[in-house]
Amino acid sequence: MSALVDQFISNMMQSLQCSAHVKDLRTGKYICSNLINVRKFGFNKPEDIVGATIHDLNDFMLPFWGKDVVPNAIKQEKEVLYTGKSTVDTDRAFLSKDGFVCIHHMTKTPIPSNTGIISSVFTMSENITDKLTLWQLWELYKKFYLINKQAAIRMYLIHVGIFHLFSECPTEAEIRVLNARTQADSYKKIADLLNISIKTVESHICNLNRKTKNLDLSAIVYLMKITDPHTLDL
């Protein structure tokens, strides 16, 4: 890249409210990045990722993003290189380095060199996790924490902003009632929504009230929102 283009892209990345970086297509190394991007990998400053490759990140991110992420990212970059056109990857679910579910809308755009040859790629990822419903988010946590249900419950409650309001974690059945309570305002409607008895709903809500830190359950339900800022940008 020319010095002017390099400076322009660097300045633009730092002003974006989403994850972004530039990668050399020949070596696969990161050239520059913004802070939002590197924090998802546990780094403290953009310079920490410069010179690394996706394979370097995969050494510690594999347990979080799975075996398909690296080949998919490389495939997408080859498409950018060979076609000279932008590519889009969306609705892909991952775990961030700190274990949160995230969905991204990722665009990779070619950057030509001074001679017109595509030499690098600009990647920008928008976090679209908050477009999910609470039910969809909960199902993803169960999927990613299949053998550790307690972790799924804990991370889900943190993600929707109410973990700190409980003195004891709800059960999976109680999570379902919590989610249903955001859509239904009576025991009967919750029971119909979950296809369970009203008596079962009453029992779960009684347990939920017991597990809160002396807070009204309606207030807790009102606070449930998908607000966690994590996303992945490969």
Side-chain angles (χ1 to χ4, degrees), residues 173-185:
E174 290 160 2
I175 292 289
R176 285 170 50 80
V177 170
L178 270 177
N179 286 344
R181 181 65 180 79
T182 65
Q183 299 174 268
D185 57 4

Side-chain angles (χ1 to χ4, degrees), residues 217-233:
L217 190 61
S218 296
I220 292 177
V221 169
Y222 177 77
L223 293 172
M224 293 177 70
K225 295 179 182 178
I226 302 175
T227 57
D228 191 85
H230 297 87
T231 186
L232 287 179
D233 181 4

